[in-house]
Amino acid sequence: MTGLLLIDTAEELHKLPRTADGPRAVVMTMGALHEGHATLIRTARERAGDAGQVVVTVFVNPLQFGANEDLDRYPRTLDADLEIARAAGADAVFAPAVDEVYPGGDPQVRVTAGPMGERLEGATRPGHFDGMLTVVAKLLHLTRPDLALFGQKDAQQLALIRRMVTDLNFPVEVVGVTTVREEDGLALSSRNRYLSAQERRTALALSRALFAGQDRLAAQAALRARAEASPASDERATALARLGEIRSAADAHAVSAAGTGLPDAVRAAARHVLEEAGRHDPPLQLDYLALVDPQDFTDVRPDFTGQAVLAVAAKVGTTRLIDNIPLEFGAHT
């Protein structure tokens, strides 16, 4: 296929010929594309290969916006989006109007996100994930992909889509792609453009908090490893003291023996950064900070092992931002 096709009706999309020798990959967006979206498209191109096909959807879904949210304000930049999609390797862009996706008005039958969709983002934005899953389900039916790629920045969204695909037997592989960040650490988002320079400085606390939690996990894990490597409690304290960690020597054995408390330490490190940002001008208004199991987005226990997600949401000025990082909690011995 040569060039980039712009498609705006379901009928045209159904006529889009599939390639015989490669998969079709879809990247779903609400437009206002940036480098994060471009990374998704490039990854889709890599996964589909030269013989495959990459379809990008551009649709601002009204079902996932609440009454007081920014549906009308959300940027719509289709011409620029087409150039970004083309440069990143897309074959086609499906950019339908609202009445093309919902020809009978708001759908009477919708996908329900269930209990996982009522936590964190779902608690703050009731109905958001029902609307998101409904449009993703529709777009999966319309585009009929083999692969669907979504960003890790929207971790709860990604987890819910994976759950829907599994629970409802969609014949598609869901691929998560690592969050793309700007040079200062702020996660790329279409909403970043709303921030003033001063608001942006405050907003950097989101990523700093996440990395502070990550650093605390690494430091605690390293301390435990060194403590466990010492042959006995007295010798352990001596060994740690020789490493210049006299203050840590007294509690190293307790940390190692208990094997618990790391999640609380990670949360505390992140929360400290966010509390400091709450005193900035303008202040950061924290919505939530949570360390959760990505399988169901429930809070992890003090003795948790495996992969977790440290997630944060906050408002700076009138702009609400989210961010997260994955963390690995090793088995305690």
Side-chain angles (χ1 to χ4, degrees), residues 263-286:
D264 288 342
V266 168
R267 292 186 187 98
R271 186 170 294 279
H272 176 72
V273 175
L274 297 169
E275 288 174 350
E276 286 290 322
R279 295 187 283 273
H280 290 177
D281 181 19
L284 182 140
Q285 303 167 61
L286 182 63

PDB file of all heavy atoms in Angstrom, residues 263-286:
ATOM      1  N   PRO A 263       6.083  -1.788  50.075  1.00  0.00           N
ATOM      2  CA  PRO A 263       5.046  -0.957  49.448  1.00  0.00           C
ATOM      3  C   PRO A 263       4.770   0.331  50.218  1.00  0.00           C
ATOM      4  O   PRO A 263       4.623   1.400  49.612  1.00  0.00           O
ATOM      5  CB  PRO A 263       3.825  -1.887  49.434  1.00  0.00           C
ATOM      6  CG  PRO A 263       4.417  -3.262  49.337  1.00  0.00           C
ATOM      7  CD  PRO A 263       5.641  -3.196  50.207  1.00  0.00           C
ATOM      8  N   ASP A 264       4.719   0.243  51.547  1.00  0.00           N
ATOM      9  CA  ASP A 264       4.481   1.451  52.338  1.00  0.00           C
ATOM     10  C   ASP A 264       5.622   2.449  52.195  1.00  0.00           C
ATOM     11  O   ASP A 264       5.404   3.669  52.144  1.00  0.00           O
ATOM     12  CB  ASP A 264       4.297   1.092  53.812  1.00  0.00           C
ATOM     13  CG  ASP A 264       2.959   0.415  54.078  1.00  0.00           C
ATOM     14  OD1 ASP A 264       2.057   0.540  53.223  1.00  0.00           O
ATOM     15  OD2 ASP A 264       2.825  -0.247  55.115  1.00  0.00           O
ATOM     16  N   ALA A 265       6.848   1.944  52.131  1.00  0.00           N
ATOM     17  CA  ALA A 265       8.002   2.832  51.967  1.00  0.00           C
ATOM     18  C   ALA A 265       7.972   3.525  50.611  1.00  0.00           C
ATOM     19  O   ALA A 265       8.302   4.713  50.491  1.00  0.00           O
ATOM     20  CB  ALA A 265       9.297   2.034  52.127  1.00  0.00           C
ATOM     21  N   VAL A 266       7.568   2.792  49.587  1.00  0.00           N
ATOM     22  CA  VAL A 266       7.469   3.369  48.241  1.00  0.00           C
ATOM     23  C   VAL A 266       6.404   4.454  48.216  1.00  0.00           C
ATOM     24  O   VAL A 266       6.619   5.554  47.688  1.00  0.00           O
ATOM     25  CB  VAL A 266       7.148   2.260  47.222  1.00  0.00           C
ATOM     26  CG1 VAL A 266       6.745   2.854  45.874  1.00  0.00           C
ATOM     27  CG2 VAL A 266       8.359   1.339  47.047  1.00  0.00           C
ATOM     28  N   ARG A 267       5.243   4.169  48.782  1.00  0.00           N
ATOM     29  CA  ARG A 267       4.169   5.168  48.829  1.00  0.00           C
ATOM     30  C   ARG A 267       4.624   6.418  49.585  1.00  0.00           C
ATOM     31  O   ARG A 267       4.348   7.547  49.161  1.00  0.00           O
ATOM     32  CB  ARG A 267       2.935   4.587  49.520  1.00  0.00           C
ATOM     33  CG  ARG A 267       2.214   3.485  48.755  1.00  0.00           C
ATOM     34  CD  ARG A 267       0.935   3.105  49.483  1.00  0.00           C
ATOM     35  NE  ARG A 267       0.270   1.949  48.917  1.00  0.00           N
ATOM     36  CZ  ARG A 267       0.379   0.705  49.377  1.00  0.00           C
ATOM     37  NH1 ARG A 267       1.160   0.449  50.426  1.00  0.00           N
ATOM     38  NH2 ARG A 267      -0.274  -0.282  48.806  1.00  0.00           N
ATOM     39  N   ALA A 268       5.318   6.224  50.718  1.00  0.00           N
ATOM     40  CA  ALA A 268       5.744   7.354  51.537  1.00  0.00           C
ATOM     41  C   ALA A 268       6.722   8.250  50.786  1.00  0.00           C
ATOM     42  O   ALA A 268       6.641   9.486  50.864  1.00  0.00           O
ATOM     43  CB  ALA A 268       6.366   6.854  52.829  1.00  0.00           C
ATOM     44  N   ALA A 269       7.645   7.642  50.057  1.00  0.00           N
ATOM     45  CA  ALA A 269       8.626   8.431  49.305  1.00  0.00           C
ATOM     46  C   ALA A 269       7.950   9.271  48.233  1.00  0.00           C
ATOM     47  O   ALA A 269       8.279  10.442  48.025  1.00  0.00           O
ATOM     48  CB  ALA A 269       9.668   7.501  48.687  1.00  0.00           C
ATOM     49  N   ALA A 270       6.995   8.672  47.531  1.00  0.00           N
ATOM     50  CA  ALA A 270       6.284   9.399  46.480  1.00  0.00           C
ATOM     51  C   ALA A 270       5.399  10.498  47.078  1.00  0.00           C
ATOM     52  O   ALA A 270       5.349  11.624  46.566  1.00  0.00           O
ATOM     53  CB  ALA A 270       5.443   8.424  45.658  1.00  0.00           C
ATOM     54  N   ARG A 271       4.724  10.178  48.168  1.00  0.00           N
ATOM     55  CA  ARG A 271       3.808  11.142  48.767  1.00  0.00           C
ATOM     56  C   ARG A 271       4.560  12.381  49.280  1.00  0.00           C
ATOM     57  O   ARG A 271       4.040  13.498  49.214  1.00  0.00           O
ATOM     58  CB  ARG A 271       3.021  10.485  49.901  1.00  0.00           C
ATOM     59  CG  ARG A 271       1.932  11.382  50.480  1.00  0.00           C
ATOM     60  CD  ARG A 271       1.019  10.617  51.413  1.00  0.00           C
ATOM     61  NE  ARG A 271       0.255   9.608  50.713  1.00  0.00           N
ATOM     62  CZ  ARG A 271      -0.853   9.855  50.020  1.00  0.00           C
ATOM     63  NH1 ARG A 271      -1.308  11.090  49.945  1.00  0.00           N
ATOM     64  NH2 ARG A 271      -1.496   8.878  49.421  1.00  0.00           N
ATOM     65  N   HIS A 272       5.774  12.189  49.773  1.00  0.00           N
ATOM     66  CA  HIS A 272       6.562  13.324  50.273  1.00  0.00           C
ATOM     67  C   HIS A 272       6.768  14.354  49.163  1.00  0.00           C
ATOM     68  O   HIS A 272       6.627  15.570  49.399  1.00  0.00           O
ATOM     69  CB  HIS A 272       7.911  12.831  50.794  1.00  0.00           C
ATOM     70  CG  HIS A 272       8.825  13.934  51.233  1.00  0.00           C
ATOM     71  ND1 HIS A 272       8.625  14.673  52.379  1.00  0.00           N
ATOM     72  CD2 HIS A 272       9.945  14.449  50.643  1.00  0.00           C
ATOM     73  CE1 HIS A 272       9.573  15.586  52.481  1.00  0.00           C
ATOM     74  NE2 HIS A 272      10.380  15.478  51.441  1.00  0.00           N
ATOM     75  N   VAL A 273       7.092  13.892  47.959  1.00  0.00           N
ATOM     76  CA  VAL A 273       7.307  14.805  46.836  1.00  0.00           C
ATOM     77  C   VAL A 273       6.007  15.535  46.493  1.00  0.00           C
ATOM     78  O   VAL A 273       6.006  16.744  46.230  1.00  0.00           O
ATOM     79  CB  VAL A 273       7.825  14.035  45.608  1.00  0.00           C
ATOM     80  CG1 VAL A 273       7.930  14.952  44.389  1.00  0.00           C
ATOM     81  CG2 VAL A 273       9.180  13.398  45.911  1.00  0.00           C
ATOM     82  N   LEU A 274       4.903  14.814  46.504  1.00  0.00           N
ATOM     83  CA  LEU A 274       3.619  15.414  46.147  1.00  0.00           C
ATOM     84  C   LEU A 274       3.155  16.424  47.188  1.00  0.00           C
ATOM     85  O   LEU A 274       2.564  17.458  46.847  1.00  0.00           O
ATOM     86  CB  LEU A 274       2.573  14.311  45.974  1.00  0.00           C
ATOM     87  CG  LEU A 274       2.859  13.326  44.831  1.00  0.00           C
ATOM     88  CD1 LEU A 274       1.929  12.129  44.910  1.00  0.00           C
ATOM     89  CD2 LEU A 274       2.749  14.008  43.472  1.00  0.00           C
ATOM     90  N   GLU A 275       3.425  16.138  48.459  1.00  0.00           N
ATOM     91  CA  GLU A 275       3.054  17.086  49.511  1.00  0.00           C
ATOM     92  C   GLU A 275       3.845  18.385  49.383  1.00  0.00           C
ATOM     93  O   GLU A 275       3.309  19.481  49.606  1.00  0.00           O
ATOM     94  CB  GLU A 275       3.269  16.446  50.878  1.00  0.00           C
ATOM     95  CG  GLU A 275       2.233  15.366  51.197  1.00  0.00           C
ATOM     96  CD  GLU A 275       2.530  14.626  52.494  1.00  0.00           C
ATOM     97  OE1 GLU A 275       3.645  14.825  53.044  1.00  0.00           O
ATOM     98  OE2 GLU A 275       1.670  13.851  52.949  1.00  0.00           O
ATOM     99  N   GLU A 276       5.118  18.262  49.021  1.00  0.00           N
ATOM    100  CA  GLU A 276       5.923  19.465  48.788  1.00  0.00           C
ATOM    101  C   GLU A 276       5.330  20.285  47.645  1.00  0.00           C
ATOM    102  O   GLU A 276       5.239  21.516  47.720  1.00  0.00           O
ATOM    103  CB  GLU A 276       7.362  19.066  48.457  1.00  0.00           C
ATOM    104  CG  GLU A 276       8.171  18.582  49.643  1.00  0.00           C
ATOM    105  CD  GLU A 276       8.490  19.719  50.604  1.00  0.00           C
ATOM    106  OE1 GLU A 276       8.770  20.838  50.124  1.00  0.00           O
ATOM    107  OE2 GLU A 276       8.454  19.495  51.827  1.00  0.00           O
ATOM    108  N   ALA A 277       4.913  19.601  46.575  1.00  0.00           N
ATOM    109  CA  ALA A 277       4.348  20.306  45.417  1.00  0.00           C
ATOM    110  C   ALA A 277       3.015  20.956  45.749  1.00  0.00           C
ATOM    111  O   ALA A 277       2.604  21.917  45.093  1.00  0.00           O
ATOM    112  CB  ALA A 277       4.178  19.335  44.249  1.00  0.00           C
ATOM    113  N   GLY A 278       2.335  20.451  46.771  1.00  0.00           N
ATOM    114  CA  GLY A 278       1.091  21.061  47.210  1.00  0.00           C
ATOM    115  C   GLY A 278       1.291  22.438  47.806  1.00  0.00           C
ATOM    116  O   GLY A 278       0.317  23.192  47.980  1.00  0.00           O
ATOM    117  N   ARG A 279       2.557  22.780  48.114  1.00  0.00           N
ATOM    118  CA  ARG A 279       2.865  24.106  48.659  1.00  0.00           C
ATOM    119  C   ARG A 279       3.470  25.039  47.602  1.00  0.00           C
ATOM    120  O   ARG A 279       3.896  26.141  47.914  1.00  0.00           O
ATOM    121  CB  ARG A 279       3.819  23.959  49.854  1.00  0.00           C
ATOM    122  CG  ARG A 279       3.182  23.229  51.030  1.00  0.00           C
ATOM    123  CD  ARG A 279       4.066  23.240  52.258  1.00  0.00           C
ATOM    124  NE  ARG A 279       5.155  22.273  52.166  1.00  0.00           N
ATOM    125  CZ  ARG A 279       5.046  20.999  52.532  1.00  0.00           C
ATOM    126  NH1 ARG A 279       3.910  20.535  53.015  1.00  0.00           N
ATOM    127  NH2 ARG A 279       6.082  20.178  52.436  1.00  0.00           N
ATOM    128  N   HIS A 280       3.525  24.567  46.353  1.00  0.00           N
ATOM    129  CA  HIS A 280       4.048  25.405  45.280  1.00  0.00           C
ATOM    130  C   HIS A 280       3.016  26.458  44.855  1.00  0.00           C
ATOM    131  O   HIS A 280       1.858  26.415  45.270  1.00  0.00           O
ATOM    132  CB  HIS A 280       4.428  24.538  44.073  1.00  0.00           C
ATOM    133  CG  HIS A 280       5.634  23.681  44.297  1.00  0.00           C
ATOM    134  ND1 HIS A 280       6.092  22.792  43.354  1.00  0.00           N
ATOM    135  CD2 HIS A 280       6.468  23.553  45.371  1.00  0.00           C
ATOM    136  CE1 HIS A 280       7.152  22.157  43.837  1.00  0.00           C
ATOM    137  NE2 HIS A 280       7.396  22.611  45.047  1.00  0.00           N
ATOM    138  N   ASP A 281       3.453  27.364  44.000  1.00  0.00           N
ATOM    139  CA  ASP A 281       2.568  28.363  43.423  1.00  0.00           C
ATOM    140  C   ASP A 281       2.659  28.241  41.899  1.00  0.00           C
ATOM    141  O   ASP A 281       3.687  28.621  41.315  1.00  0.00           O
ATOM    142  CB  ASP A 281       2.964  29.764  43.864  1.00  0.00           C
ATOM    143  CG  ASP A 281       2.035  30.836  43.293  1.00  0.00           C
ATOM    144  OD1 ASP A 281       0.911  30.466  42.880  1.00  0.00           O
ATOM    145  OD2 ASP A 281       2.454  32.009  43.249  1.00  0.00           O
ATOM    146  N   PRO A 282       1.631  27.716  41.232  1.00  0.00           N
ATOM    147  CA  PRO A 282       0.368  27.224  41.784  1.00  0.00           C
ATOM    148  C   PRO A 282       0.561  25.861  42.454  1.00  0.00           C
ATOM    149  O   PRO A 282       1.498  25.129  42.114  1.00  0.00           O
ATOM    150  CB  PRO A 282      -0.524  27.100  40.548  1.00  0.00           C
ATOM    151  CG  PRO A 282       0.436  26.781  39.447  1.00  0.00           C
ATOM    152  CD  PRO A 282       1.688  27.578  39.748  1.00  0.00           C
ATOM    153  N   PRO A 283      -0.316  25.487  43.370  1.00  0.00           N
ATOM    154  CA  PRO A 283      -0.145  24.217  44.068  1.00  0.00           C
ATOM    155  C   PRO A 283      -0.617  23.030  43.240  1.00  0.00           C
ATOM    156  O   PRO A 283      -1.487  23.154  42.368  1.00  0.00           O
ATOM    157  CB  PRO A 283      -1.038  24.391  45.301  1.00  0.00           C
ATOM    158  CG  PRO A 283      -2.126  25.303  44.832  1.00  0.00           C
ATOM    159  CD  PRO A 283      -1.462  26.258  43.868  1.00  0.00           C
ATOM    160  N   LEU A 284      -0.039  21.881  43.533  1.00  0.00           N
ATOM    161  CA  LEU A 284      -0.526  20.627  42.975  1.00  0.00           C
ATOM    162  C   LEU A 284      -1.664  20.134  43.857  1.00  0.00           C
ATOM    163  O   LEU A 284      -1.518  20.038  45.076  1.00  0.00           O
ATOM    164  CB  LEU A 284       0.606  19.594  42.919  1.00  0.00           C
ATOM    165  CG  LEU A 284       0.259  18.227  42.313  1.00  0.00           C
ATOM    166  CD1 LEU A 284       1.395  17.718  41.448  1.00  0.00           C
ATOM    167  CD2 LEU A 284      -0.060  17.207  43.411  1.00  0.00           C
ATOM    168  N   GLN A 285      -2.798  19.834  43.238  1.00  0.00           N
ATOM    169  CA  GLN A 285      -3.965  19.343  43.973  1.00  0.00           C
ATOM    170  C   GLN A 285      -4.086  17.836  43.732  1.00  0.00           C
ATOM    171  O   GLN A 285      -4.538  17.408  42.677  1.00  0.00           O
ATOM    172  CB  GLN A 285      -5.221  20.067  43.501  1.00  0.00           C
ATOM    173  CG  GLN A 285      -5.144  21.580  43.627  1.00  0.00           C
ATOM    174  CD  GLN A 285      -6.259  22.267  42.869  1.00  0.00           C
ATOM    175  OE1 GLN A 285      -7.433  22.071  43.161  1.00  0.00           O
ATOM    176  NE2 GLN A 285      -5.892  23.087  41.885  1.00  0.00           N
ATOM    177  N   LEU A 286      -3.647  17.060  44.698  1.00  0.00           N
ATOM    178  CA  LEU A 286      -3.580  15.611  44.526  1.00  0.00           C
ATOM    179  C   LEU A 286      -4.970  14.993  44.504  1.00  0.00           C
ATOM    180  O   LEU A 286      -5.799  15.275  45.366  1.00  0.00           O
ATOM    181  CB  LEU A 286      -2.748  14.991  45.653  1.00  0.00           C
ATOM    182  CG  LEU A 286      -2.542  13.476  45.591  1.00  0.00           C
ATOM    183  CD1 LEU A 286      -1.770  13.079  44.344  1.00  0.00           C
ATOM    184  CD2 LEU A 286      -1.832  12.988  46.847  1.00  0.00           C
TER     185      LEU A 286
END
